[in-house]
Amino acid sequence: MRTVLLEAAARAFARSGYGGTSIGAITAEAEVSRPAFYAYFASKREAFLEVVAALRDEFLAAHEFPGIDDPYELGRAATRAFLAAHAANAALLTVVEHEAEGDEEVRAMRDEMRRRPARRMAHYVERLVAEGRADPVADPELLAGVMNATFTRFARELPDDDAAFEQKVEEFTAIYLRLIGVRG
């Protein structure tokens, strides 16, 4: 039931924003009663924070590919996962951005969604440089921030068509590899 409520809350927040979503809207979306909501959450804010935490966890998982070390394969896998996560959650991400302006807890989770993947990418590029496998055009941390901002910006305009989406994955992967200066 908790999962049903969280999924319903995510849809309601994505559709109507935080301020435009009531507990009644969440329970109607979940097709449950208000008492069922209160059995799991003390407030709308508590439910929202859990929705944001789940979104953060999804984005952080989109950057974890243990066992893949080839820069092309890792870049392609991470690019696909990041773009797909953005496309699937575009409306909810907009709500999170808005709420992060006035809510420190939401801001901290939003910032973690940005910082941890960027830090992971910067460390990976630094390792490739140390191994002589890459020659980045700029500082790895700057590159990671630029790529994160670029992906975030263009993920909002991704095509619905699978073939066109895969073409964008290939293009973004090529940009990433060029910027980090992968050799060979």
Side-chain angles (χ1 to χ4, degrees), residues 5-36:
L5 281 163
L6 284 172
E7 289 170 355
R11 289 189 302 273
F13 291 130
R15 184 175 49 251
S16 303
Y18 181 77
T21 299
S22 65
I23 291 171
I26 295 169
T27 58
E29 181 78 25
E31 299 178 348
V32 300
S33 66
R34 278 182 177 272

Side-chain angles (χ1 to χ4, degrees), residues 8-116:
R11 289 189 302 273
F13 291 130
R15 184 175 49 251
S16 303
Y18 181 77
T21 299
S22 65
I23 291 171
I26 295 169
T27 58
E29 181 78 25
E31 299 178 348
V32 300
S33 66
R34 278 182 177 272
F37 177 89
Y38 286 111
Y40 295 96
F41 306 104
S43 65
K44 175 176 87 167
R45 182 173 188 279
E46 182 182 324
F48 183 69
L49 290 175
E50 289 200 33
V51 166
V52 175
L55 183 64
R56 176 204 57 208
D57 294 347
E58 178 181 346
F59 271 85
L60 295 178
H63 292 276
E64 294 184 17
F65 295 93
I68 300 177
D69 189 49
D70 175 70
Y72 173 77
E73 290 303 318
L74 182 59
R76 191 167 190 274
T79 297
R80 179 182 289 109
F82 187 83
L83 292 175
H86 262 278
N89 296 291
L92 186 56
L93 286 166
T94 300
V95 175
V96 170
E97 285 296 326
H98 182 265
E99 293 305 312
E101 294 301 316
D103 187 313
E104 288 184 37
E105 284 184 81
V106 175
R107 184 179 318 115
M109 286 187 276
R110 186 236 15 225
D111 290 351
E112 187 178 6
M113 281 191 289
R114 293 177 178 172
R115 277 194 307 264
R116 279 181 51 191

Side-chain angles (χ1 to χ4, degrees), residues 89-165:
N89 296 291
L92 186 56
L93 286 166
T94 300
V95 175
V96 170
E97 285 296 326
H98 182 265
E99 293 305 312
E101 294 301 316
D103 187 313
E104 288 184 37
E105 284 184 81
V106 175
R107 184 179 318 115
M109 286 187 276
R110 186 236 15 225
D111 290 351
E112 187 178 6
M113 281 191 289
R114 293 177 178 172
R115 277 194 307 264
R116 279 181 51 191
R119 193 173 23 218
R120 186 178 296 136
M121 179 184 164
H123 290 307
Y124 179 68
V125 173
E126 288 166 355
R127 192 184 78 191
L128 291 176
V129 169
E131 294 171 355
R133 297 169 60 195
D135 184 20
V137 299
D139 175 75
E141 287 195 32
L142 176 61
L143 286 177
V146 166
M147 290 306 298
N148 191 338
T150 301
F151 282 25
T152 299
R153 159 65 178 82
F154 286 100
R156 296 171 189 197
E157 301 169 6
L158 288 171
D160 290 334
D161 174 73
D162 288 344
F165 177 81

